[in-house]
Amino acid sequence: MLDRTADLELIVEAAQEAGRIALGYFKRDPKVWIKGASSPVSEADLAADHYLRTTLMAARPDYGWLSEETADTPDRLGRRRVFVVDPIDGTRGFIDGHPDWCVSVAIVEADTPAAAALFAPVRAELFEGVVGQGARLNGARLAVSGRNRMEGARIAGPARHLRAMSARGMDATERRFTPSLAYRFALVSAGRVDVATARPGAYDWDLAAVDLLVHEAGGTLRDLEGARLRFNGAEPRHPALIASTPALASAAETIIAEAEAGRGALGSTAS
């Protein structure tokens, strides 16, 4: 318990400082490159990643490391605890000047997140939590909404998922798209959104911190088979996902499964 408390303090401070570093580039035309087929990375991502890796690994040299902006190695697979980091989740939105981006840092033990910090600098929102101890937003306890009917639910996700839910007669009171998957799911943990979805292809670094936040807030984050996510595997990638209140999970899974029917198990880009 003491280890987890100290770990939380460490990653909270690091996430906040990385957020301040990234904020120094926000809306200032940072340099941008394309990695892989079409994924953008900015100099802000690299600066924040460098700070996080230098700071966190100096403090916990026996931990493993998995980050979107660092070349992966199998060394992490043999570590008891692993930092799982996205220095800027929602890079496209960051580049476009959208406020919904965040720094996501988790510590995974075995295959489960044990501590999480998610910092959205533009919105001055700090989400944090330790497994079994609840989660908080700027010091206030997080709890998912109490909604138990899909009709009138507040939903967030990629366009095709929103269309699918609407086509099934779901009269949503709010439809929201945010470029950061981690922040989108965090909205469920805060009770601001009832159902949030992701296309296939999300990685551990998109999800590890917010997985803990959603579950500690009383919600569920799972795949279309109803299975919870497992982290720090050899392939840190996931299928289509749903975060929601427990009462809405099954109905949402049915709708999103139909939307994903005929597509591969993993897509090229998650959102």
Side-chain angles (χ1 to χ4, degrees), residues 14 16 29 36 38 58 68 76 97 120 151 156 159 184-185 230 237 261:
Q16 288 177 301
D29 194 26
S38 60
E68 180 174 13
R76 63 180 171 81
E151 291 77 15
R184 183 190 311 164
F185 283 177
R230 299 300 175 191
R237 206 174 182 197

Side-chain angles (χ1 to χ4, degrees), residues 12-13 30 51 53 83-84 96 106 109 117 138 155 171 193 201 234 249:
V12 162
E13 292 179 6
Y51 167 79
R53 186 174 191 187
F83 291 113
V84 181
D96 292 341
E109 293 183 9
N138 292 346
I155 59 178
D171 182 19
V193 167

Side-chain angles (χ1 to χ4, degrees), residues 5-268:
T5 299
D7 277 352
L8 180 64
E9 292 175 354
L10 172 67
I11 64 175
V12 162
E13 292 179 6
Q16 288 177 301
E17 181 56 29
R20 287 188 282 267
I21 290 170
L23 197 58
Y25 294 88
F26 186 57
K27 293 187 177 181
R28 297 186 180 181
D29 194 26
K31 294 179 181 177
V32 177
W33 302 269
I34 299 298
K35 61 182 181 181
S38 60
S39 182
V41 58
S42 75
E43 59 182 324
D45 295 82
L46 301 182
D49 186 71
H50 176 76
Y51 167 79
L52 288 166
R53 186 174 191 187
T54 300
T55 301
L56 295 175
M57 293 306 297
R60 302 287 191 273
D62 56 326
Y63 286 19
W65 180 261
L66 176 64
S67 168
E68 180 174 13
E69 306 305 344
T70 306
D72 190 17
T73 70
D75 172 75
R76 63 180 171 81
L77 299 175
R79 300 300 178 111
R80 176 172 173 245
R81 293 177 176 170
V82 179
F83 291 113
V84 181
V85 170
D86 195 339
I88 298 179
D89 188 82
T91 296
R92 285 186 175 86
F94 175 91
I95 293 167
D96 292 341
H98 196 291
D100 289 354
W101 55 273
C102 61
V103 179
S104 178
V105 183
I107 294 174
V108 169
E109 293 183 9
D111 58 6
T112 303
L118 190 153
F119 182 49
V122 178
R123 298 195 177 279
E125 292 178 343
L126 173 65
F127 298 78
E128 58 182 300
V130 170
V131 65
Q133 299 183 42
R136 298 182 181 277
L137 168 57
N138 292 346
R141 188 71 176 248
L142 287 170
V144 299
S145 78
R147 179 166 291 280
N148 56 18
R149 290 173 56 86
M150 289 292 284
E151 291 77 15
R154 297 162 296 175
I155 59 178
R160 76 167 180 253
H161 289 176
L162 299 182
R163 288 194 299 269
M165 286 186 273
S166 296
R168 287 289 297 268
M170 180 178 169
D171 182 19
T173 59
E174 177 183 345
R175 294 175 176 82
R176 180 170 181 170
F177 177 79
T178 177
S180 165
L181 176 55
Y183 187 75
R184 183 190 311 164
F185 283 177
L187 295 174
V188 174
S189 74
R192 299 178 190 167
V193 167
D194 304 305
V195 179
T197 68
R199 293 180 295 180
Y203 286 88
D204 278 10
W205 48 75
D206 302 308
L207 300 164
V210 77
D211 179 84
L212 185 149
L213 297 172
V214 169
H215 284 100
E216 288 297 314
T220 180
L221 199 171
R222 60 199 205 186
D223 65 22
L224 301 185
E225 302 296 323
R228 279 200 62 169
L229 281 61
R230 299 300 175 191
F231 296 93
N232 195 39
E235 174 53 70
R237 206 174 182 197
H238 301 271
L241 302 168
I242 295 171
S244 71
T245 66
L248 300 182
S250 293
E253 284 167 12
T254 298
I255 296 171
I256 301 309
E258 291 178 359
E260 291 295 330
R263 298 179 182 274
L266 292 176
S268 59

